[in-house]
């Protein structure tokens, strides 16, 4: 999977905050800075040639948005010759495959459906039945227990 999700797609997705679930609309500037840092962390991983492995809900959603946006852009980079430093691979632009391999689950996407209003609360009946966990905006930066956590002192972009 080389060069499938350009780093600029991860950062570009961040600027499209209306695409965040409605439960984030009331979040403050500090929360949004932390979400931006989550997107930046993923972009840096890509730039370093590291496998993308979201370490928290914020990174997971940022990557979902980036994959979706990259899929909407299709092979636009191929048409313009802007492929970056990554070699071509037969799986380039296979965004369905990205969704299969980069994510442990897609629970966070339930936040976009009115059918699942309230599912973000860990005490919600559906949340409990499916074992989703805490998807409230304040918990988005808590590290997943099964992947390495980011350095909590890494700072923010300037």
């Amino acid at each position: 999977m080389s060069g499938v999700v350009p780093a600029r797609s991860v950062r570009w997705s961040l600027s499209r905050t209306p695409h965040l679930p409605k439960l984030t609309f009331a979040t403050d500037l500090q929360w949004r800075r932390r979400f931006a840092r989550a997107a930046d962390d993923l972009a840096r991983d890509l730039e370093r040639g590291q496998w993308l492995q979201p370490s928290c809900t914020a990174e997971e959603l940022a990557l979902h948005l980036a994959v979706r946006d990259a899929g909407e852009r299709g092979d636009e980079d191929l048409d313009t010759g802007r492929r970056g430093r990554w070699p071509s691979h037969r799986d380039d632009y296979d965004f369905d495959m990205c969704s299969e391999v980069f994510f442990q689950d897609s629970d966070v996407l339930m936040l976009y459906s009115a059918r699942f209003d309230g599912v973000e609360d860990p005490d919600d009946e559906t949340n409990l039945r499916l074992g989703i966990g805490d998807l409230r905006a304040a918990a988005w930066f808590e590290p997943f227990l099964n992947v390495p956590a980011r350095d909590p002192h890494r700072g923010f972009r300037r």
Side-chain angles (χ1 to χ4, degrees), residues 8-106:
R8 73 177 175 287
S9 289
V10 176
R11 287 190 178 109
W12 180 78
S13 294
L14 168 68
S15 68
R16 301 184 64 185
T17 53
H19 292 296
L20 291 174
K22 68 180 180 180
L23 68 89
T24 67
F25 292 176
T27 57
D28 62 12
L29 177 62
Q30 183 62 16
W31 187 95
R32 292 187 176 273
R33 287 188 73 213
R34 292 178 78 189
F35 188 80
R37 181 173 60 187
D40 286 346
D41 288 339
L42 292 170
R44 269 191 294 283
D45 289 348
L46 271 174
E47 290 165 352
R48 292 177 182 144
Q50 296 173 341
W51 185 258
L52 294 179
Q53 190 173 25
S55 66
C56 63
T57 300
E59 287 185 22
E60 185 176 58
L61 186 60
L63 187 54
H64 273 294
L65 293 174
V67 168
R68 186 203 63 208
D69 291 344
E72 288 174 1
R73 293 168 56 119
D75 59 3
E76 175 181 314
D77 289 341
L78 185 60
D79 293 340
T80 62
R82 293 183 313 187
R83 303 249 333 160
R85 66 178 185 257
W86 301 104
S88 294
H89 189 276
R90 71 178 181 277
D91 291 335
D92 285 351
Y93 305 104
D94 186 348
F95 299 104
D96 291 332
M97 177 64 78
C98 287
S99 294
E100 288 181 34
V101 300
F102 289 143
F103 304 105
Q104 298 176 43
D105 58 52
S106 58

